[in-house]
Amino acid sequence: MSTTEKIAIAAHLHVLLRRKTGRVTDTEWMATNAQYAAEIVRFSREKAVEDGHIDLGVWADRLEEIMATPDAKHRVPLVKLMADAVKERAVGAHSAVVPTRPVADQQGARSVSTEEPYPESGFIESTFGPMFGDSEAHRERKARDPDAPRYVKGLR
């Protein structure tokens, strides 16, 4: 059985024990530790007989049954299996894996010319025109004062 089912049964038994006997249990520990679960089963059955709580006995039986069944095997996703198989096949085909260099971007920005007053950015110019406030084809930029500080209040 899965751990989720064990925790669900342990949580249900925990709530019943808390409401009917005042006993507080550790749900996660009950679902993972067989000795602790066996003791909770014993205590639940004892209280079911003493106080007449039939449902405590039923849920104790469920917990005992689920703790006796082995955990399901951990399944590896098919995608992982296939990826590993492809990697092994690729390594088997080549005696040594040759690292590939990244390919240079062929459509990057054009080189910046220092002779133009304002070099082009390399991005496509807007085709929307005056709709978004670009009424002029190219706005004239103000020349920067070389003595002005470059950063706010001269801080870097």
Side-chain angles (χ1 to χ4, degrees):
M1 288 287 175
S2 71
T3 306
T4 309
E5 293 175 33
K6 288 180 180 180
I7 290 176
I9 291 172
H12 198 92
L13 189 57
H14 166 82
V15 170
L16 288 175
L17 287 170
R18 175 77 173 141
R19 287 182 183 163
K20 298 187 184 225
T21 65
R23 174 81 182 243
V24 178
T25 60
D26 186 341
T27 304
E28 191 172 340
W29 187 245
M30 191 186 319
T32 57
N33 187 318
Q35 292 174 337
Y36 182 70
E39 182 58 29
I40 295 298
V41 167
R42 186 199 60 76
F43 177 79
S44 299
R45 286 185 178 146
E46 182 181 298
K47 287 297 180 180
V49 171
E50 284 179 12
D51 301 335
H53 301 299
I54 299 170
D55 49 351
L56 276 177
V58 171
W59 283 96
D61 292 341
R62 286 186 181 177
L63 181 64
E64 185 178 48
E65 180 184 336
I66 200 166
M67 290 304 290
T69 59
D71 288 338
K73 291 183 179 180
H74 178 70
R75 295 180 62 189
V76 179
L78 181 60
V79 172
K80 174 106 172 82
L81 289 174
M82 294 304 295
D84 291 343
V86 168
K87 286 178 187 175
E88 287 177 18
R89 188 172 183 184
V91 170
H94 303 292
S95 60
V97 177
V98 180
T100 59
R101 291 182 32 207
V103 178
D105 185 13
Q106 300 295 324
Q107 296 181 355
R110 288 181 251 163
S111 63
V112 177
S113 171
T114 56
E115 295 179 14
E116 295 180 18
Y118 297 104
E120 291 186 34
S121 66
F123 293 99
I124 298 173
E125 297 298 326
S126 173
T127 58
F128 291 111
M131 182 170 28
F132 292 106
D134 189 18
S135 58
E136 303 171 23
H138 295 282
R139 294 187 204 156
E140 293 294 323
R141 296 185 186 178
K142 296 179 185 175
R144 191 176 92 64
D145 180 15
D147 296 328
R150 276 184 84 171
Y151 302 98
V152 177
K153 296 187 180 182
L155 297 176
R156 281 194 130 189

